[in-house]
Amino acid sequence: MACARAGAVVALLGLMAVVVGGCGGPAEEAPEVVAELMDCGPKLGPLNFPEGLAIGKMGELLIADTWNDRIVRAGPNCDVAGAFGEAGTEEGMLECPRSIATDRHGNIYVVDAWNHRVEKFDERGRFVLSVGGQGGPWGNDEAEGKFSGPYGVAVDSQGHIYVSDFNNNRIHKFNPRGGFVKMWGTGGRQDGQFSNPAGMAMDSQDRLYVADVGNNRVQRFNAEGEFTGKWGKEGTDPGEFNGAYDVCVDKDDNVYVVDFWNHRIQKFTSGGELLWTYGERGSEKGQLDLPLSAAVAEDGSIYIADWGNNRIQKLAPFS
């Protein structure tokens, strides 16, 4: 498969978490890496460039093992418990699974990128329904509920499904049964416009955060698609982005942004105030190489899809 991204960038931060605020923003030691996952064991074999991450209903880690066309389940210590999915175009099959979301019932939503759809599975990994389908030519499709390279998925408290249509610069909203509700967005730099929207996350107040990659920012919307805020710009300083590919939220509605080309994770309040930034490029424990996704457990532990190093790293909670 060729879901890869190429390129390189110099390291920007040392092995520390730069904490912003307080009396001048002191630096703290990096949080401890408490677990790492690269190989899923003799039956499942190694990971193959994992991308999306999510936390399941029972606290398990769900991993989009992208080039293996499957979803891997792991426990709190990255101990693998199983997997579901296989390569193909039929219902329940996957081709380049990219992002994952879960709902309050434990259902699992997977962006099946090369099949231009989102598939819903129950908490045991059994297929439930498919949403979307392939639209028109690259970046020029106006069809409702059809995609050209879907990337991110999020689910609100009522079970509505939101999908970022990467090449068409828009967001689609579906009802819990998979029926099309509405879409919004066009290409551009104005509020509510996008340049390749990617990862998304929904907080406890049904506010939708969208990683607007090409514009190097995060945009926030309500459940009806109305623009309510933004932050970020291109750069390497704390609070700036160079390829903001994914977002996730914690139980306190803080927002974590995966800053791909800057090889780091940055944490913000829901209003965009920077709390800390963590990471440097490398392959040692605690270093990152082109991270693509993050997920935060109930206890505040942070899982990172360290894409360039073909592994998952788990960081101990820190604030």
Side-chain angles (χ1 to χ4, degrees):
M1 300 179 70
C3 300
R5 298 179 183 86
V9 69
V10 296
L12 299 166
L13 295 173
L15 273 177
M16 62 177 64
V18 179
V19 181
V20 179
C23 299
E28 294 185 352
E29 285 191 27
E32 181 185 3
V33 177
V34 295
E36 183 181 71
L37 174 61
M38 298 181 72
D39 196 295
C40 299
K43 291 185 178 180
L44 296 177
L47 295 173
N48 199 353
F49 293 100
E51 296 195 15
L53 300 176
I55 304 298
K57 182 180 180 181
M58 304 306 295
E60 73 274 23
L61 177 66
L62 299 166
I63 305 166
D65 189 8
T66 303
W67 289 18
N68 281 326
D69 299 307
R70 66 186 180 184
I71 305 301
V72 173
R73 299 177 183 273
N77 294 315
C78 291
D79 46 323
V80 173
F84 64 89
E86 61 178 311
T89 60
E90 302 298 319
E91 291 183 345
M93 293 182 174
L94 301 167
E95 290 281 359
C96 197
R98 180 144 279 154
S99 297
I100 313 175
T102 59
D103 64 22
R104 59 191 178 92
H105 302 294
N107 296 304
I108 301 165
Y109 302 78
V110 180
V111 175
D112 185 13
W114 283 9
N115 287 324
H116 302 277
R117 65 189 179 189
V118 170
E119 293 199 293
K120 177 181 177 180
F121 301 85
D122 68 16
E123 58 186 323
R124 297 177 62 182
R126 297 175 298 193
F127 175 80
V128 176
L129 63 82
S130 180
V131 174
Q134 186 167 7
W138 178 286
N140 294 299
D141 186 22
E142 298 181 357
E144 296 179 346
K146 300 295 183 181
F147 310 131
S148 176
Y151 195 107
V153 61
V155 185
D156 69 20
S157 62
Q158 303 302 309
H160 294 98
I161 306 162
Y162 302 77
V163 183
S164 62
D165 192 359
F166 189 84
N167 294 327
N168 286 318
N169 295 309
R170 62 188 181 186
I171 308 299
H172 297 254
K173 179 179 179 178
F174 300 85
N175 66 32
R177 296 174 301 281
F180 177 80
V181 175
K182 68 186 306 180
M183 63 184 182
W184 71 89
T186 58
R189 302 185 60 84
Q190 301 302 311
D191 295 349
Q193 294 183 317
F194 303 104
S195 177
N196 299 128
M200 302 194 300
M202 187 72 68
D203 72 10
S204 65
Q205 300 182 48
D206 282 345
R207 295 177 295 196
L208 179 69
Y209 302 87
V210 181
D212 188 7
V213 178
N215 287 322
N216 289 296
R217 65 185 180 183
V218 173
Q219 294 198 71
R220 189 184 65 226
F221 302 86
N222 64 22
E224 297 306 313
E226 297 169 340
F227 172 84
T228 62
K230 65 181 178 182
W231 70 85
K233 64 177 182 177
E234 183 175 0
T236 60
D237 290 337
E240 298 176 342
F241 306 123
N242 190 0
Y245 263 98
D246 196 24
V247 290
C248 68
V249 298
D250 64 20
K251 64 181 180 180
D252 298 316
D253 289 342
N254 296 306
V255 182
Y256 300 72
V257 184
V258 179
D259 193 4
F260 182 75
W261 294 108
N262 285 333
H263 311 283
R264 64 187 180 187
I265 307 294
Q266 302 197 71
K267 179 181 178 181
F268 300 84
T269 67
S270 60
E273 177 187 353
L274 178 65
L275 299 175
W276 53 250
T277 180
Y278 165 77
E280 70 163 356
R281 192 177 195 185
S283 58
E284 299 299 318
K285 182 181 290 186
Q287 295 180 322
L288 302 172
D289 185 17
L290 305 173
L292 266 179
S293 185
V296 183
E298 180 72 16
D299 68 354
S301 298
I302 304 165
Y303 297 90
I304 302 172
D306 187 7
W307 187 84
N309 287 316
N310 197 32
R311 66 184 176 185
I312 307 299
Q313 294 195 75
K314 178 185 179 182
L315 307 181
F318 74 110
S319 59

